[in-house]
């Protein structure tokens, strides 16, 4: 067994230790100990057979009938694991999955869940469930097991005729979690963005000062090196016009590249005999290095041309714009422009590839570079204007002055800078924590538990929680992963990490990163907007998104460094922000960049498949107007590639035709083991426009007919649909829910679970 597989084996063993601690209250009021059962006794916890749907009974029967294959495989870590996955989708997913959670609780199926795996918005409600259970466990530490089990079992129940409990009321009151208290809350959102933008600018500004100082020195130097290099070229007998002198370096590099091309056949002949004597891959390596060298030659030509264009650009700027705008005016204009661009980018980022053509994306990306280029031109022009008349002594408007300012700023940034401080992550985390991380106190009142550690989550009565995120990488070690630009990274009670970074114990990570807790992990898992977005990264936009502070991502200490004892309690310095701007992200640095788990897999099922769960229940509430099941398609492809696991689905077409909310998947693991997937999709019963059109905007362009809404299932859900045809797939950018919107999504989730798995 290699090191990686041994490590995973150790992690799974630790997780199963936690799962085996679980105590389950049967419907007869007895305690069932999870350690005594490979596969949970469904009849002891579920509603009676005639109260369950036909499909649920069939799934349970198939799971029981596959027992022999599971018993025969000695390599499996556990023979009866059951997982529950909540997808990404912002507060829409959190609210729908709250209803699904209530529905599963009513059916008794929630008690059977061993793993709770969440992504992004699904992590809101998943973390809430974990937090409430942890608080309940702490509150009842002195009570007997049965009393504790009853208290936990009652937490998320939904009883007809009984007013909703404080948990639901708190969630409903905090549906507008980003700005719940009026104007000041609304204003602090752009204020945090602007503060980050200002600090980001001063991280980059010293380099502009240094480049401007260097340009001024070179342009005002008494020795014209362009002329001398041009003279050398003419001495070689190569004609060169007077106007071409300013590009003499570029011409020299072009000439050298041409010489390399001409000499390459001769070099190849000379090396051929040597390559034949060598063993192994010597010939291939030499050819690879030679072609790479040729690539660097072309890159050098473009770099030299760009550098030699700067004097011309500075001169053009001086003649056309330099006298019309001051530095303060450019900065003010840039600030207002950046504020507008950040608002637009934050709103359009989830759909940016559909909004703009490829050329439009590149043009938008160039805006960021253009703004800083104008700053550079203005600074260079100021220096060149001041230098001829500069009096003796030190002056701030001089190459020495600019260099001194740059050094002071660089020193200040290095001593105080923190890549996480300028990110929106902390503000976002605090807003989410206020809404979702809480529990009951001794007076049965809601109490915030903001500092709840992952290592303190309850394992006696709650499922083992996996919070899935994306480890952003520039490249990965496996060729087929290059398109992913990331790896699967999770937080849990016992371990944190990924295959690329390795895994460390959660308690060790919490020691080195005191601010890491359940709320922080929840916010990282839901960091939907960032310059680097795993497989969704748009390279031309990385720089401008970083400078506009569209950054919900987080820099976490590398689990590998912690495990090796190399970690420190220092902060991620501004160098990591520069790495982010350049999209130069690695799993080898002291800190690693994390963002939304949906940037690599948006259902949360991947890690449950890795653990070979026998039954998986998944609530998919990602934005999917056209019902194309993109998250499910990605999941099926990824597990086929990575694990060789095949998932075959039935019922997706019935979801698209408005006949049902669910589809059933059969999971084919190794050694003939078979698992089942119950896939619950956010959808409405009825015959919708998608029966006539596959267009992504079918809901928007079609007119609802009289038979398009099933009012009998739930009148206020159907009425809300007539008011907003995009329901239940309203944009994930909308994170400000009112009471009606919240209740319609919650009630839909409850309907999805109860009508799919129970008798109405």
């Amino acid at each position: 067994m290699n090191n990686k597989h041994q490590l995973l084996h150790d992690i799974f063993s630790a997780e199963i230790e936690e799962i085996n601690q679980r105590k389950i209250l049967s419907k007869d009021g007895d305690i069932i100990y999870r350690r005594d059962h490979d596969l949970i006794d469904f009849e002891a916890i579920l509603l009676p057979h005639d109260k369950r749907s036909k499909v649920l009974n069939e799934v349970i029967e198939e799971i029981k009938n596959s027992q022999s294959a599971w018993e025969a495989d000695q390599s499996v870590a556990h023979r009866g694991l059951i997982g529950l996955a909540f997808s990404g989708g912002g507060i829409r997913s959190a609210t729908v999955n709250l209803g699904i959670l209530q529905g599963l609780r009513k059916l008794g199926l929630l008690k059977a869940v061993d793993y709770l795996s969440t992504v992004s918005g699904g992590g809101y409600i998943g973390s809430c469930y974990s937090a409430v259970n942890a608080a309940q466990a702490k509150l009842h530490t002195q009570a007997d097991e049965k009393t504790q089990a009853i208290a936990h079992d009652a937490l998320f129940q939904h009883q007809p005729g009984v007013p909703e409990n404080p948990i639901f009321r708190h969630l409903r009151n905090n549906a507008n979690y980003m700005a719940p208290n009026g104007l000041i809350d609304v204003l602090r959102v752009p204020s945090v963005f602007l503060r980050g933008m200002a600090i980001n600018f001063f991280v980059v500004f010293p380099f502009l000062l240094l480049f401007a100082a260097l340009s001024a020195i070179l342009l005002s130097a008494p020795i014209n090196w362009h002329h001398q290099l041009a003279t050398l070229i003419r001495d070689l007998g190569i004609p060169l016009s007077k106007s071409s002198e300013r590009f003499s370096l570029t011409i020299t590099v072009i000439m050298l590249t041409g010489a390399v091309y001409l000499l390459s056949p001769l070099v190849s002949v000379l090396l051929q005999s040597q390559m034949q004597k060598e063993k192994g891959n010597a010939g291939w390596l030499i050819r690879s290095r030679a072609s790479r060298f040729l690539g660097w030659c072309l890159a050098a030509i473009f770099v030299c041309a760009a550098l030699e264009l700067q004097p011309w650009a500075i001169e053009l700027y001086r003649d056309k714009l330099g006298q019309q705008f001051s530095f303060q005016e450019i900065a003010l204009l840039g600030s207002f422009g950046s504020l507008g661009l950040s608002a637009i980018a934050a709103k359009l980022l989830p759909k940016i590839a559909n909004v703009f053509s490829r050329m439009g994306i590149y043009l938008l990306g160039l805006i960021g570079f253009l703004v800083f280029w104008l700053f550079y031109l203005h600074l260079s022009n100021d220096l060149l204007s001041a230098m001829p008349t500069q009096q003796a002594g030190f002056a701030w408007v001089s190459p020495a002055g600019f260099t001194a300012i740059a050094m002071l700023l660089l020193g200040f940034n290095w001593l105080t800078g923190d890549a996480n401080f300028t990110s929106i992550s902390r503000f976002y985390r605090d807003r989410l924590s206020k809404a979702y991380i809480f529990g009951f106190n001794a007076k049965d009142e809601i109490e915030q538990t903001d500092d709840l550690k992952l290592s303190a989550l309850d394992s006696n009565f709650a499922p083992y929680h996996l919070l899935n995120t994306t480890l952003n990488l520039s490249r990965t070690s496996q060729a087929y992963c290059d398109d992913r630009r990331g790896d699967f990274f999770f937080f849990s009670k016992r371990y944190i990490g990924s295959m690329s970074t390795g895994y460390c114990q959660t308690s060790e990570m919490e020691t080195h990163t005191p601010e890491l807790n359940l709320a922080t992990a929840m916010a990282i898992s839901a960091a939907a907007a960032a310059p680097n977005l795993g497989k969704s990264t748009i390279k031309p936009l990385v720089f401008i998104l970083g400078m506009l502070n569209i950054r919900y991502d987080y820099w976490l200490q590398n689990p590998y460094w912690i495990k090796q004892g190399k970690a420190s309690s220092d902060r991620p310095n501004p160098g990591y922000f520069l790495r982010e701007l350049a999209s130069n992200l690695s799993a080898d640095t002291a800190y690693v960049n994390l963002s939304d788990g949906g940037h690599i897999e948006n259902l949360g099922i991947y890690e449950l498949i890795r653990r070979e769960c026998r039954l998986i229940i998944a609530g998919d509430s990602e934005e999917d107007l056209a019902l194309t099941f993109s998250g499910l398609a990605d999941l099926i492809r990824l597990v086929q590639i990575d694990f060789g696991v095949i998932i075959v689905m039935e019922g997706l077409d019935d979801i698209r035709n408005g006949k049902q909310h669910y589809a059933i998947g059969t999971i084919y693991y190794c050694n003939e083991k078979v698992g089942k997937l119950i896939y619950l999709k956010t959808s409405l019963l009825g015959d919708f426009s998608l029966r006539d059109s596959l267009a992504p905007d079918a809901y928007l362009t079609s007119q609802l007919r009289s038979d398009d809404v099933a009012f009998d299932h739930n009148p206020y859900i159907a009425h809300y649909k007539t008011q907003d045809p995009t329901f239940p797939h309203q944009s994930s950018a909308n994170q400000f829910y009112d009471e009606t919107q919240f209740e319609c999504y919650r009630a839909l989730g409850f309907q999805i679970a109860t009508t799919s798995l129970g008798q109405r």
Side-chain angles (χ1 to χ4, degrees):
M1 184 180 293
N2 63 38
N3 291 336
K4 286 188 175 180
H5 284 89
Q6 179 60 51
L7 180 58
L8 284 175
H9 180 269
D10 294 342
I11 292 170
F12 295 164
S13 297
E15 292 174 355
I16 290 170
E17 284 180 12
E18 298 288 336
I19 289 169
N20 281 335
Q21 295 179 31
R22 289 183 60 232
K23 304 171 185 68
I24 303 165
L25 186 69
S26 74
K27 60 186 179 183
D28 295 328
D30 300 323
I31 297 292
I32 300 173
Y33 295 95
R34 186 67 181 91
R35 62 177 178 267
D36 296 336
H37 304 269
D38 277 344
L39 183 64
I40 196 71
D41 182 2
F42 290 103
E43 301 306 324
I45 60 173
L46 297 184
L47 293 178
H49 189 278
D50 61 346
K51 298 292 184 181
R52 309 192 300 249
S53 71
K54 178 182 178 181
V55 68
L56 178 58
N57 287 327
E58 290 175 350
V59 166
I60 292 173
E61 193 64 27
E62 289 183 48
I63 290 173
K64 292 178 180 178
N65 292 338
S66 66
Q67 184 68 19
S68 58
W70 287 86
E71 290 179 348
D73 188 351
Q74 299 302 312
S75 66
V76 66
H78 193 288
R79 295 180 175 82
L81 294 173
I82 297 175
L84 173 61
F86 289 154
S87 78
I91 193 171
R92 177 187 58 253
S93 177
T95 311
V96 171
N97 283 309
L98 168 62
I100 290 177
L101 197 66
Q102 293 173 300
L104 296 178
R105 160 65 183 75
K106 177 182 177 181
L107 295 163
L109 199 52
L110 186 60
K111 299 176 186 178
V113 174
D114 299 310
Y115 278 110
L116 174 60
S117 180
T118 62
V119 179
S120 193
Y124 300 176
I125 193 61
S127 297
C128 176
Y129 184 70
S130 292
V132 171
N133 274 284
Q136 196 78 337
K138 185 177 180 180
L139 189 64
H140 293 88
T141 51
Q142 303 302 318
D144 59 81
E145 289 183 347
K146 189 168 184 178
T147 300
Q148 293 182 57
I150 292 172
H152 282 272
D153 186 58
L155 285 175
F156 279 79
Q157 65 181 335
H158 182 81
Q159 293 180 292
V162 177
E164 63 182 5
N165 66 42
I167 294 175
F168 305 137
R169 182 55 53 88
H170 177 86
L171 292 173
R172 193 184 303 279
N173 289 341
N174 284 274
N176 185 10
Y177 67 92
M178 286 293 281
N181 297 315
L183 179 62
I184 297 300
D185 271 3
V186 172
L187 290 177
R188 66 176 170 176
V189 176
S191 178
V192 173
F193 270 103
L194 283 172
R195 180 192 66 180
M197 287 166 56
I199 296 173
N200 291 345
F201 175 80
F202 282 104
V203 171
V204 176
F205 187 57
F207 298 99
L208 295 179
L209 291 172
L210 291 174
F211 292 149
L214 180 60
S215 298
I217 291 171
L218 291 175
L219 291 175
S220 62
I223 299 175
N224 189 335
W225 62 271
H226 270 108
H227 178 71
Q228 292 190 342
L229 188 57
T231 301
L232 179 60
I233 294 173
R234 292 191 184 99
D235 290 343
L236 294 174
I238 300 172
L240 190 65
S241 66
K242 189 71 175 176
S243 60
S244 300
E245 280 191 10
R246 70 168 64 207
F247 296 103
S248 55
L249 179 60
T250 303
I251 292 170
T252 301
V253 175
I254 291 174
M255 291 165 54
L256 292 174
T257 301
V260 169
Y261 288 173
L262 291 174
L263 292 174
S264 59
L266 176 61
V267 175
S268 177
V269 171
L270 293 175
L271 292 176
Q272 191 67 36
S273 58
Q274 180 64 29
M275 288 190 294
Q276 292 175 353
K277 297 177 183 178
E278 298 287 344
K279 295 181 179 180
N281 297 321
W284 178 86
L285 289 172
I286 291 172
R287 289 191 297 273
S288 176
R289 290 168 184 168
S291 61
R292 188 173 182 83
F293 176 72
L294 294 177
W296 277 110
C297 288
L298 283 180
I301 293 172
F302 288 110
V303 170
C304 290
L307 291 174
E308 292 187 315
L309 277 171
Q310 297 314 303
W312 171 80
I314 292 170
E315 182 180 339
L316 181 64
Y317 179 85
R318 180 194 63 203
D319 296 338
K320 302 296 183 183
L321 297 174
Q323 304 303 321
Q324 300 179 30
F325 298 100
S326 67
F327 181 82
Q328 293 81 358
E329 288 172 332
I330 293 176
L332 191 62
L333 182 63
S335 298
F336 282 108
S338 297
L339 179 60
L341 282 173
S342 64
I344 294 170
K347 186 174 183 63
L348 297 181
L349 185 61
K351 304 178 182 179
I352 197 101
N354 295 325
V355 175
F356 295 98
S357 66
R358 182 174 295 273
M359 185 59 69
I361 290 174
Y362 278 91
L363 289 175
L364 182 60
L366 284 174
I367 291 176
F369 293 100
L370 179 62
V371 169
F372 283 88
W373 186 48
L374 288 175
F375 275 119
Y376 157 76
L377 294 177
H378 191 92
L379 293 169
S380 299
N381 186 57
D382 281 351
L383 283 180
L384 290 169
S385 300
M387 287 174 68
T389 59
Q390 182 176 308
Q391 298 178 355
F394 181 81
W396 289 111
V397 184
S398 67
F402 275 28
T403 302
I405 296 172
M407 292 298 103
L408 288 172
L409 284 174
L410 286 172
F412 179 78
N413 290 337
W414 191 263
L415 291 173
T416 64
D418 185 336
N420 287 331
F421 177 77
T422 55
S423 167
I424 306 299
S425 178
R426 290 178 177 176
F427 173 76
Y428 184 47
R429 172 223 177 273
D430 291 345
R431 296 290 83 214
L432 286 173
S433 178
K434 175 67 168 61
Y436 291 98
I437 307 300
F438 60 87
F440 288 116
N441 60 21
K443 298 179 181 179
D444 283 337
E445 298 170 336
I446 292 293
E447 183 177 79
Q448 298 299 137
T449 55
D450 179 75
D451 60 348
L452 176 62
K453 295 291 186 182
L454 288 162
S455 58
L457 295 181
D458 175 58
S459 293
N460 290 318
F461 300 96
Y464 191 86
H465 194 174
L466 302 172
L467 292 105
N468 298 282
T469 70
T470 298
L471 168 67
N472 290 301
L473 301 171
S474 301
R475 290 183 60 84
T476 56
S477 58
Q478 296 167 293
Y480 63 74
C481 290
D482 284 349
D483 287 342
R484 302 181 190 180
R485 295 189 178 279
D487 196 6
F488 298 87
F489 191 106
F490 70 81
F491 293 88
S492 70
K493 178 178 181 177
R494 294 287 291 271
Y495 281 92
I496 291 171
S498 69
M499 292 296 285
S500 296
T501 60
Y503 301 84
C504 72
Q505 293 187 14
T506 301
S507 56
E508 290 181 305
M509 180 68 80
E510 290 172 340
T511 299
H512 288 90
T513 310
E515 66 180 20
L516 177 64
N517 46 41
L518 178 61
T520 304
M522 170 183 63
I524 295 171
S525 176
N532 297 278
L533 305 167
K535 63 184 174 69
S536 301
T537 300
I538 305 173
K539 279 281 191 175
L541 298 182
V542 169
F543 181 82
I544 190 172
L545 291 175
M547 293 307 304
L548 292 176
N549 209 39
I550 311 299
R551 298 176 57 239
Y552 288 77
D553 54 337
Y554 190 88
W555 288 92
L556 181 75
Q557 292 210 50
N558 193 327
Y560 177 79
W561 285 51
I562 288 179
K563 192 171 182 180
Q564 298 299 315
K566 298 191 296 181
S568 68
S569 58
D570 200 6
R571 64 195 178 281
N573 60 57
Y576 288 99
F577 173 66
L578 297 176
R579 279 181 170 272
E580 200 173 333
L581 291 181
S583 198
N584 180 24
L585 306 177
S586 168
D588 301 324
T589 51
Y591 286 81
V592 291
N593 185 261
L594 304 177
S595 65
D596 195 309
H599 296 155
I600 193 166
E601 193 268 310
N602 202 34
L603 296 186
I605 299 177
Y606 183 93
E607 291 293 344
L608 300 179
I609 296 288
R610 194 203 294 270
R611 288 157 177 77
E612 295 190 318
C613 284
R614 189 103 165 250
L615 170 63
I616 298 173
I617 306 161
D620 179 6
S621 190
E622 63 180 3
E623 185 179 344
D624 188 9
L625 266 174
L627 289 178
T628 58
F629 312 105
S630 60
L632 180 64
D634 286 343
L635 179 277
I636 293 174
R637 172 175 52 82
L638 288 168
V639 299
Q640 166 74 69
I641 293 171
D642 293 357
F643 309 134
V645 171
I646 298 172
I647 302 177
V648 178
M649 300 297 301
E650 293 184 8
L652 297 179
D653 289 328
D654 287 335
I655 295 176
R656 300 189 86 247
N657 290 327
K659 295 180 180 179
Q660 60 193 40
H661 296 296
Y662 68 88
I664 303 299
T666 302
I667 309 169
Y668 294 95
Y669 293 112
C670 65
N671 299 326
E672 299 184 348
K673 300 192 301 295
V674 175
K676 301 298 290 187
L677 168 63
I678 300 176
Y679 175 74
L680 303 175
K681 179 68 172 178
T682 299
S683 56
L684 292 177
L685 300 179
D687 196 3
F688 296 102
S689 58
L690 284 175
R691 64 185 171 194
D692 303 321
S693 171
L694 298 180
D697 61 349
Y699 279 118
L700 297 173
T701 58
S702 65
Q703 296 295 321
L704 291 171
R705 296 188 293 270
S706 58
D707 62 341
D708 277 336
V709 182
F711 276 80
D712 283 341
H713 290 286
N714 189 311
Y716 61 78
I717 291 178
H719 179 265
Y720 190 82
K721 172 68 176 178
T722 64
Q723 302 302 305
D724 188 339
T726 62
F727 178 83
H729 297 284
Q730 293 163 314
S731 172
S732 298
N734 178 8
Q735 295 290 289
F736 302 87
Y737 277 24
D738 57 24
E739 179 183 329
T740 303
Q741 192 174 17
F742 180 92
E743 174 56 21
C744 287
Y745 275 112
R746 185 213 62 81
L748 177 59
F750 187 75
Q751 173 185 301
I752 288 169
T754 53
T755 60
S756 300
L757 305 177
Q759 295 294 334
R760 194 177 176 214

